[in-house]
Amino acid sequence: MVQPENEYSTWPGVADFPTDMNRNYMAYVEQQLLDEGITVPLLVNDNLVMGYFAPGSGQGAVDIYAIDAYQVRYDCAIPVFGPLTDFRMMASDTRMRRPLLLLSSKGGLVRDGVVQDMCSQLVNKEAVRVVYKNIYTLGVKIFNIYMTFGGTNWGNLGYMGGHTSYDYGAAIAEERAIWRKKYSEQKLQANFLKVSPAYLTLTPHLGANGTYGTPSSIAVTALLKNGTSTNFYIIRHADFTSIDNTQYTLILPTSMGDIEIPQLGGYLTLNGRDSKFHVTYYDVGGINLIYSSAEIFTWTRGSGSTRVLILYGGAGETHE
């Protein structure tokens, strides 16, 4: 795989960072925390994504390395979805160390002279479905969205070069309104992960186009565990920028053998810019769901041995 050039690699001074002064300062801060009895693991949020202060990197190294990275281009004056940053190189780099933590991921965007709503269009609900689910394919363990609520930067308390409005087209608007559809999409994903603890123990595999019975225009990334345990298959267009309506079927291994989904005929569909979770062996509180082409919102225990499972799909789609 050809790796894109790091977008920060041409910044002045990057080659010289961190300096001895930076390392001394980081070590000093860490010691102050320890002296106050704060002994929890320390993280670093490396916005240069260069492995700085990663465990084993020398003075000032932290316990767990994490990155600050944005997946979509910065120009919301032209709010058209573009190619994504490839995080797989970060996930596999020995400096980055597992687990993969993303402490500042694009949930909004700001651009001088551009209204917030245009930035909201660039990182809208479709972008959330494609970008965030692509991040899950890496098995990210801590995923922090910057930002979910923008708010107001009173008196430039956050950053003197920032806007007074810290809205940035975030899921929750500056006035605390939740009319942006990306808020609902983030809620769908968060609720699914909340009731799917198996995600934390799955092993991400390299995504490939045209696998598991799909056409070459569909990319499938599997997150698997040995044996008959919960498995996830994340589906998207092979071309991140595609807004095509693409039909596909899946052939997935299950405890009933390989099953072509849908079993009752017809096709599954990616309608426009979209990405989906399909599951097999999904654990619904001790009940084994062999597969579902519909996405899972949540589940809960009912009375006795019953379970309540809530599924969803896009408008006009048929699921099993």
Side-chain angles (χ1 to χ4, degrees), residues 97-164:
R97 302 291 200 279
R98 286 290 187 176
L100 177 63
L101 313 182
L102 185 52
L103 296 189
S104 182
S105 179
K106 181 178 290 182
L109 188 64
V110 66
R111 190 74 174 183
D112 291 340
V114 177
V115 296
Q116 306 284 9
D117 284 347
M118 293 180 71
C119 291
S120 180
Q121 292 175 43
L122 179 61
V123 288
N124 62 6
K125 65 181 178 65
E126 287 86 5
V128 166
R129 286 184 67 81
V130 176
V131 173
Y132 293 178
K133 290 181 182 180
N134 185 62
I135 290 171
Y136 304 145
T137 66
L138 301 177
V140 63
K141 296 302 186 286
I142 293 182
F143 178 46
N144 181 60
I145 298 169
Y146 184 79
M147 54 200 54
T148 293
F149 170 52
T152 301
N153 183 9
W154 299 110
N156 292 323
L157 291 174
Y159 166 55
M160 63 182 180
H163 292 188
T164 300

Side-chain angles (χ1 to χ4, degrees), residues 15-317:
D16 300 324
F17 184 87
T19 63
D20 288 343
M21 181 176 69
N22 299 138
R23 290 194 175 280
N24 289 340
Y25 177 73
M26 182 68 102
Y28 173 79
V29 170
E30 293 171 3
Q31 190 59 52
Q32 295 302 301
L33 294 172
L34 291 172
D35 290 346
E36 292 297 326
I38 300 173
T39 57
V40 297
L42 300 179
L43 312 179
V44 66
N45 186 26
D46 183 3
N47 73 304
L48 300 178
V49 195
M50 297 291 287
Y52 295 140
F53 300 115
S57 63
Q59 186 182 26
V62 297
D63 300 299
I64 305 176
Y65 178 80
I67 59 175
D68 174 334
Y70 291 74
Q71 303 81 43
V72 185
R73 61 184 178 77
Y74 285 80
D75 188 7
C76 39
I78 308 173
V80 178
F81 198 58
L84 302 184
T85 300
D86 182 9
F87 284 154
R88 202 168 302 278
M89 60 178 176
M90 305 173 195
S92 61
D93 194 316
T94 56
R95 296 173 305 174
M96 310 311 185
R97 302 291 200 279
R98 286 290 187 176
L100 177 63
L101 313 182
L102 185 52
L103 296 189
S104 182
S105 179
K106 181 178 290 182
L109 188 64
V110 66
R111 190 74 174 183
D112 291 340
V114 177
V115 296
Q116 306 284 9
D117 284 347
M118 293 180 71
C119 291
S120 180
Q121 292 175 43
L122 179 61
V123 288
N124 62 6
K125 65 181 178 65
E126 287 86 5
V128 166
R129 286 184 67 81
V130 176
V131 173
Y132 293 178
K133 290 181 182 180
N134 185 62
I135 290 171
Y136 304 145
T137 66
L138 301 177
V140 63
K141 296 302 186 286
I142 293 182
F143 178 46
N144 181 60
I145 298 169
Y146 184 79
M147 54 200 54
T148 293
F149 170 52
T152 301
N153 183 9
W154 299 110
N156 292 323
L157 291 174
Y159 166 55
M160 63 182 180
H163 292 188
T164 300
S165 169
Y166 224 56
D167 184 308
Y168 284 22
I172 302 175
E174 181 180 10
E175 68 275 19
R176 294 177 172 79
I178 54 173
W179 58 268
R180 291 175 180 148
K181 293 181 179 180
K182 62 191 293 184
Y183 174 83
S184 297
E185 177 56 38
Q186 288 182 204
K187 184 175 180 180
L188 288 173
Q189 295 181 24
N191 276 275
F192 168 66
L193 292 171
K194 180 180 179 180
V195 297
S196 305
Y199 172 79
L200 295 173
T201 60
L202 296 178
T203 300
H205 291 250
L206 187 65
N209 304 339
T211 53
Y212 294 98
T214 63
S216 60
S217 57
I218 295 290
V220 183
T221 305
L223 287 81
L224 307 174
K225 190 172 183 179
N226 294 331
T228 54
S229 302
T230 297
N231 296 318
F232 296 165
Y233 299 87
I234 299 178
I235 312 295
R236 61 169 175 80
H237 290 289
D239 175 4
F240 280 114
T241 67
S242 174
I243 56 174
D244 293 340
N245 293 342
T246 304
Q247 295 181 326
Y248 65 98
T249 59
L250 283 170
I251 301 175
L252 300 179
T254 74
S255 57
M256 299 168 59
D258 289 353
I259 292 180
E260 182 172 359
I261 304 169
Q263 291 191 82
L264 300 180
Y267 297 93
L268 304 173
T269 308
L270 278 183
N271 290 311
R273 184 167 299 119
D274 198 3
S275 180
K276 296 182 183 295
F277 276 117
H278 298 308
V279 301
T280 60
Y281 303 134
Y282 186 82
D283 182 7
V284 187
I287 296 176
N288 182 19
L289 179 65
I290 301 298
Y291 75 90
S292 175
S293 68
E295 294 187 86
I296 293 170
F297 173 57
T298 191
W299 64 266
T300 188
R301 295 178 184 271
S303 60
S305 61
T306 62
R307 305 290 184 271
V308 178
L309 175 67
I310 302 177
L311 306 169
Y312 70 95
E317 296 176 358

